Amino acid sequence: MPVVVITDEDVRRLLPMRDCIEAMRVGFRDWADGSAVSRPRMRYVAQHKDAERKYFANVHIGAVPSFGVAVVRAGSHIIKPPSKTVERRLYENPKPANSGIVVLYSMETAELIGLMHEFHLSGMRVGATSALAIDKIARPDASVFGLFGTGKQARAAFEAIALVRTFRRVNVFSPSREHREAFAHEMGRGGTEVVAAADPKAAVEGADVICCATSSLKPVFDGNWLEDGQLVVTIANSDVTNPIRRSEVDRRTYERAHTIIVTDWESVVDGNQLEILEPIAEGLVSRDIIHELKDVVADRIAVKQTSRTDAAQGVIYYKNNAGVALQFAAAGGLVYQRALAEGKCKMLPSELFETDLSAQYAAGYRPSP
């Protein structure tokens, strides 16, 4: 079986966002019934010859039986870590390129079947997962969307979320006036009214769904501005490689939440995500109100959906707290199937990646992996 090389452009062509959302739905259902495997993301930093920089690795491993694919996602970067003078992790690869890949294995034969670029899919799967959650827990009549961010993640979130709810108006905010106005002009071409919000409060007020898709280390709005019944979504989180606690929402938002959904609780603990662990330890948030997305997708947990006319107390908070391997396995499995059927992608001989064990097998040996 040849090894299919799948580029970012191939992913764009072969995986519409709507199909990516459905792939996430399948993957999370497999996870809920215990058949999928998705270990917490592993990140580490190592010494670099430049004292101001570090080598940074980002690894996912997991499998989704419904697509018959197991994956190893390997991201490799040079970074400038956060410090007293630099608030966020800066990627400083000497070459202006991303070398991360997703390695695809067949769960039936254990063979290597694909090598896929990770950059474009990395943004898509986050937006698609946010949309999956919103489809399950947002108001059915949601019509106003508040969006924080104008970069890759915000664009993916906008595209995905607009597929599961029809918004008449989107208020987008970025600290950069130029960025938010350019985003509103570009994304408003599809018929939805997209408005550059003058300030953060304008993006929150009156919104049914508020999505934060930023690179900020600090809360992007005041939780006191929230209105009962709103759904808040964030993608930022702390992790063991970042000494600075990162959260797009403040303690007041946690306090206002009657239900909190996380993508993966094990990742909260494994990544030492203090922005949620500390409010629990302090009694501000009860562990009983925190549920995992897979249980919501599988309808094991019912999250009360209120319309604009219903009386509601508090907000719902979906903390898209971690990338998980099943996202790459589900979406990657679907893209692989389509790439193989299409036959346009580059194919490499499988022998390039295999060790020939025919002599050992013929002698009756089965070497350990």
Side-chain angles (χ1 to χ4, degrees), residues 20-246:
C20 189
I21 296 170
E22 290 308 307
M24 296 304 103
R25 197 184 308 274
V26 173
F28 276 91
R29 283 176 176 165
D30 274 14
W31 204 10
D33 69 24
S35 60
V37 175
S38 201
R39 301 300 302 145
R41 171 174 55 197
M42 184 182 73
R43 285 175 164 173
Y44 69 84
V45 293
Q47 183 177 341
H48 190 271
K49 64 180 182 180
D50 180 346
E52 292 186 355
R53 289 168 174 78
K54 296 286 187 181
Y55 173 77
F56 175 82
N58 188 19
V59 181
H60 284 96
I61 54 174
V64 175
S66 286
F67 288 100
V69 168
V71 300
V72 177
R73 181 265 187 114
S76 178
H77 300 278
I78 304 301
I79 65 166
K80 180 177 287 187
S83 65
K84 293 181 179 179
T85 57
V86 180
E87 286 192 346
R88 62 190 63 173
R89 180 166 49 213
L90 299 177
Y91 291 87
E92 296 197 343
N93 295 343
K95 184 179 179 180
N98 181 64
S99 299
I101 60 170
V102 180
V103 184
L104 307 175
Y105 291 99
S106 166
M107 293 182 68
E108 180 180 356
T109 67
E111 293 175 281
L112 174 67
I113 56 175
L115 298 171
M116 181 172 61
H117 286 181
E118 62 145 16
F119 184 78
H120 184 67
L121 182 56
S122 182
M124 279 192 77
R125 50 100 192 186
V126 177
T129 303
S130 291
L132 176 62
I134 287 168
D135 193 34
K136 295 294 293 186
I137 60 181
R139 289 168 171 165
D141 56 351
S143 61
V144 180
F145 180 32
L147 177 64
F148 288 84
T150 56
K152 180 182 80 167
Q153 294 286 5
R155 289 171 183 272
F158 180 98
E159 179 186 358
I161 293 168
L163 290 172
V164 299
R165 289 293 186 274
T166 301
F167 296 105
R168 61 174 176 81
R169 181 183 175 96
V170 178
N171 298 317
V172 59
F173 179 78
S174 165
S176 167
R177 179 176 178 178
E178 179 183 359
H179 288 175
R180 64 184 185 248
E181 290 183 349
F183 184 96
H185 176 73
E186 179 184 351
M187 306 304 283
R189 294 176 182 174
T192 301
E193 182 185 14
V194 183
V195 178
D199 54 57
K201 192 172 185 179
V204 172
E205 289 183 330
D208 300 289
V209 177
I210 300 159
C211 180
C212 306
T214 76
S215 59
S216 176
L217 292 173
K218 300 176 181 178
V220 296
F221 66 83
D222 187 335
N224 289 306
W225 300 340
L226 293 172
E227 303 163 12
D228 288 339
Q230 289 179 316
L231 168 62
V232 178
V233 179
T234 67
I235 67 168
N237 59 268
S238 300
D239 69 74
V240 292
T241 67
N242 190 343
I244 300 176
R245 183 183 297 103
R246 184 182 177 201

Side-chain angles (χ1 to χ4, degrees), residues 345-360:
C345 295
K346 186 174 184 178
M347 305 281 185
L348 299 175
S350 61
E351 292 79 11
L352 290 174
F353 307 96
E354 296 175 347
T355 300
D356 185 0
L357 300 179
S358 56
Q360 287 91 334

